[in-house]
Amino acid sequence: MEAAGATAGATATATATADGSSKPRRSSSRQCSICNERKAALKRPKTLEQICRECFYVVFEEEIHKAIVDSHLFRPGERVAIGASGGKDSTVLAYVLSHLNRRHNYGLDLFLLSVDEGITGYRDDSLETVKRNEVQYGLPLKIVSYKDLYGWTMDEIVKAIGMKNNCTFCGVFRRQALDRGAALMKADKIVTGHNADDIAETVILNILRGDIARLSRCTLITTGEDGPIPRCKPFKYTYEKEIVSRMLISKSWTTFLQNAFTLNAYRGFAREFIKDLEKIRPRAILDIITSGENFRISTSTKMPEQGTCERCGYISSQKLCKACVLLEGLNRGMPKLGIGRVRGEDGRRRQSKQANDASSLHRKQSGTLEF
Amino acid sequence: MPSCGGGGACGSNCSRSGGGDDDETRNLLPEPETRSCADDDGQSRPRRLCFKCGEAEEAHNSMCPPCFRASVFGKFKLAVTTNAMIAPTDNVLVAFSGGPASRLALQFIHEMQYKALKNWDASKSQALPVFGVGVAFIDESILSPKPFHEVEKVIEDIKLIVSDLTPAHKELHIAPIERIYSLDLMEGRGKLKELLHSIADATGREDFLQYLRMLSLQKIALDNKYNKLVLGSCTSGIARHVLSSTVKGQGYSLPADLQYVDSRWEVPVVLPLRDCLAQELSMLCNLDGLKLQQVLDRPCAGINGLVSSFVSLLQDENPSRERTIVRTAEKLKPFGFNKFVENGYHDFLPSRLRPKFQNIINEETNHSEVLCPICGSPLSESELLSSKTTCETSQTSLEMFVAHCCQSCCFQILPRETKSLEQFFSLLPGSMMDRVKNDMSANCRKLREQIEDCLLSDDEEGT
């Protein structure tokens, strides 16, 4: 079993802690550097220490526990929705949270929340994974579909609008789906599986784009605290590689699904950059987050005003949120409303101009830059 | 006369203040090219015209060569005047590396000085003096594998470049980087090599060398009574610095390094080329036929190299990316030392500009920042807190020193093991130790009393 663990760990970290017999001179360093008792099973991606499986479990969970306690993420008795996509991050998050909740008596009422876009064949596999998680960790699962939330599945939307521009709908709806689903389930908080790599990448992207407002809030562990349902990221300091390692060296997770997001070239560059940095200096990811937290954002910097949508109450910079605009178009049989160059009637000229701006931005960056 | 119709039409002459000889050679260069294009015009594709003057054909950035030059010089001039970088009484030291940015900084400063000189000659009262200019070249040949005769040649070339900038004599200071020890050079050389060798991280070593370079420049400026140091940092370099500082966890101190004025050093540093892209600068050097000397340049290592190639990749994809990165960082709050604060400094400014600067001084209170003794970056609040708690328990000067270093330097520069750390500490140049002294005295009174005897002993070691 130990040997199997070692191989799994090695593949995960791409640093082969090879068989002791073939490299006898390294045998002395193959003892776990934390407990000094067991054989080291993997090189910890964050610190490059050689540690055993048991110690890795402990440090991995302790770190997340510390992040939760230090930033007072939860209060006892809260109902917390775990945003579950079926990918590796949310799978490990579901496990770790349910585990820590039991061990440290957080007193949380946890449940899994998944979004079904209603694209035939797209979510089938990942929803299967989420359903397995439900059984494994004994967490109740709620799947909210676009049909429940908006009255339209993506397949129906595609039928109405055609093959072009349907990404706008999916992207805008998905951003709100978790919040709406959580509200439907009367949750107090949403946790998402965003990890340290994701946050570091977002910091870099916001610098590249000149988005000072997002730069100032993208490193926050909890966002939307003034809104109805805050979102938090318990994996803020957890490296992606560690999540993968945790997954691979544990027997219970043999396969997982990588989210089939299509990355645009721009985010791809940044991702690759972060990975290259990590190779040179694993600490760089944490350093980027530290930098992001410490940026001296001037108080005179103009921040975009956040209002709420008049119709649904979701945060929006306009009178109506994007989802409501798109929905209105769909329901009125004018699906192109809100995308492309549509002139609004009399008083809404300015608003439609802004909507145009927003949609042209989406076209450029595929809308996936949103964190 | 060039085909753009001289400066009259495009208005480039008004900002072109360079000497007459320079002008002629400059304008002669592109002429054959324009003429041959003009011949083609009728038969083949029509060439696009300069968007500024609309007369000559575009060559760079949709501008004809004279307009292009005027636009780059305009950015330089704007930075100098709006930030009151150079006053008539100043004695300015230009840091010259041989690259296009510092070469152009030198050229532009020379042109400004030349114009001021002409005005001085013409004025009746001759009341306002003309600022002085010196040039510094830091010789880092001990770190490059180049043979001695090549280095000699580089230095000869640099001497020639500087001596050609007449009228007004410019003194050239060539200092080997090991002179920072102010001992004999051989000993300094050994010490410096050992010091750099004790830094394990390649990125840390490179950054440390850069801090040493700044100290060397400061030393030259102080020894020769210069009161401003001009660096050729351009947008492209600063964009790289923004990202690499972020990656190294120096987000707090980042805004200190990219302002036009940085007076945390004894001799304030100014960056007049901050708004120019490296590409523009090298294009202009090409165009003006300015001689460059980049034989001794070394490629960036580690994180700096990675960041550099990343930014180049992005810049290829979108030509305004570097500018956007710098603009993001510009929105961060600068520090109190990012402006001139001496009394009476702004007296020479035109009266319409003076209130702008004077109001700032009155409005803001200057609380001094505690600076890291190695890199000179201000410490963030959490770093200050931890430094204070360590200071209270620490006994030796080494412990004090380490307590005052920023997180980033602690990680990438200071050696881990106690023994090599002690050795590293003993090898640090005196000027870096002086900074510790200054910082600590600024820090807090109680601490100073404890530290002073340590520093005394340091001084004894140093001499």
Side-chain angles (χ1 to χ4, degrees), chain A residues 5-19:
Chain A
T7 17
T11 31
T13 58
T15 47
T17 47
D19 206 57

Side-chain angles (χ1 to χ4, degrees), chain B residues 77-128:
Chain B
K77 195 71 191 291
L78 189 71
V80 170
T81 47
T82 51
N83 296 286
M85 278 185 197
I86 299 175
T89 46
D90 278 348
N91 202 13
V92 178
L93 180 67
V94 181
F96 182 48
S97 68
S102 56
R103 178 69 188 87
L104 267 185
L106 182 58
Q107 184 69 27
F108 285 161
I109 295 256
H110 164 71
E111 286 171 18
M112 269 185 73
Q113 192 195 24
Y114 180 69
K115 191 177 180 191
L117 211 62
K118 272 209 297 201
N119 288 348
W120 186 80
D121 278 340
S123 77
K124 244 186 223 167
S125 62
Q126 304 199 327
L128 283 181

Side-chain angles (χ1 to χ4, degrees), chain B residues 39 71 90 110 136 152 164 192 196 263 278 371 407 447 455 463:
Chain B
D39 291 340
S71 82
D90 278 348
H110 164 71
E152 283 284 279
D164 276 353
L192 183 64
L196 289 173
S263 58
L371 305 179
Q407 295 279 314
L447 284 177
L455 286 170
T463 44

Side-chain angles (χ1 to χ4, degrees), chain B residues 4 6-18 23 26-27 50-53 60-79 104 107-108 111 272-273 275-276 280-281 283-285 287-288:
Chain B
C4 94
C10 65
S12 56
N13 251 4
C14 49
S15 48
R16 236 193 297 157
S17 48
D23 262 1
R26 198 177 301 132
N27 294 335
C50 164
F51 81 89
K52 252 186 166 174
C53 61
H60 306 280
N61 286 3
S62 322
M63 278 180 269
C64 65
C67 288
F68 173 63
R69 183 171 209 285
S71 82
V72 178
F73 185 80
K75 287 188 204 173
F76 165 83
K77 195 71 191 291
L78 189 71
L104 267 185
Q107 184 69 27
F108 285 161
E111 286 171 18
L273 289 180
D275 298 327
C276 305
E280 285 178 337
L281 297 175
M283 247 191 241
L284 190 55
C285 278
L287 195 66
D288 280 3

Side-chain angles (χ1 to χ4, degrees), chain B residues 76-358:
Chain B
F76 165 83
K77 195 71 191 291
L78 189 71
V80 170
T81 47
T82 51
N83 296 286
M85 278 185 197
I86 299 175
T89 46
D90 278 348
N91 202 13
V92 178
L93 180 67
V94 181
F96 182 48
S97 68
S102 56
R103 178 69 188 87
L104 267 185
L106 182 58
Q107 184 69 27
F108 285 161
I109 295 256
H110 164 71
E111 286 171 18
M112 269 185 73
Q113 192 195 24
Y114 180 69
K115 191 177 180 191
L117 211 62
K118 272 209 297 201
N119 288 348
W120 186 80
D121 278 340
S123 77
K124 244 186 223 167
S125 62
Q126 304 199 327
L128 283 181
V130 174
F131 64 91
V133 178
V135 182
F137 175 74
I138 306 293
D139 172 12
E140 292 170 21
S141 53
I142 63 155
L143 303 160
S144 80
K146 294 272 185 279
F148 182 70
H149 64 90
E150 268 186 46
V151 177
E152 283 284 279
K153 192 176 169 298
V154 168
I155 290 179
E156 279 310 309
D157 279 352
I158 284 170
K159 280 181 184 162
L160 202 68
I161 290 172
V162 175
S163 64
D164 276 353
L165 294 172
T166 48
H169 172 69
K170 291 169 190 61
E171 202 176 337
L172 173 64
H173 310 271
I174 296 180
I177 192 151
E178 57 266 32
R179 188 167 286 162
I180 195 131
Y181 285 104
S182 61
L183 311 158
D184 79 307
L185 289 183
M186 281 315 283
E187 197 185 334
R189 199 170 270 230
K191 269 190 164 185
L192 183 64
K193 279 192 169 165
E194 211 177 323
L195 182 64
L196 289 173
H197 188 71
S198 65
I199 303 172
D201 190 284
T203 317
R205 208 176 307 134
E206 196 172 281
D207 288 350
F208 188 75
L209 198 64
Q210 200 193 327
Y211 308 143
L212 284 184
R213 196 178 305 141
M214 177 54 106
L215 285 184
S216 308
L217 288 171
Q218 288 287 327
K219 189 168 143 55
I220 296 175
L222 273 180
D223 290 351
N224 298 286
K225 301 204 168 49
Y226 289 98
N227 66 342
K228 293 275 167 63
L229 178 60
V230 174
L231 298 189
S233 311
C234 58
T235 306
S236 314
I238 292 172
R240 281 162 179 78
H241 181 74
V242 168
L243 280 191
S244 54
S245 300
T246 309
V247 167
K248 291 170 200 160
Q250 296 168 319
Y252 178 79
S253 62
L254 171 63
D257 305 331
L258 46 92
Q259 309 300 326
Y260 292 105
V261 177
D262 178 0
S263 58
R264 81 187 111 154
W265 312 93
E266 277 168 283
V267 179
V269 175
V270 292
L271 313 178
L273 289 180
R274 208 194 79 160
D275 298 327
C276 305
L277 294 171
Q279 201 195 3
E280 285 178 337
L281 297 175
S282 48
M283 247 191 241
L284 190 55
C285 278
N286 239 335
L287 195 66
D288 280 3
L290 296 178
K291 211 171 164 204
L292 304 177
Q293 195 42 267
Q294 292 171 286
V295 181
L296 296 179
D297 285 3
R298 293 177 305 275
C300 297
I303 287 185
N304 299 335
L306 187 65
V307 167
S308 183
S309 54
F310 177 58
V311 175
S312 310
L313 190 73
L314 293 171
Q315 178 76 7
D316 288 345
E317 177 226 17
N318 179 349
S320 61
R321 187 64 69 200
E322 286 170 352
R323 185 74 208 114
T324 315
I325 296 173
V326 176
R327 235 192 0 251
T328 318
E330 265 170 22
K331 290 176 198 156
L332 302 176
K333 208 160 91 193
F335 290 87
F337 52 70
N338 287 126
K339 56 180 181 284
F340 293 116
V341 283
E342 305 134 70
N343 268 339
Y345 176 80
H346 299 106
D347 291 354
F348 287 110
L349 283 179
S351 51
R352 106 195 112 79
L353 277 179
R354 220 174 297 152
K356 179 182 149 196
F357 291 96
Q358 282 166 346

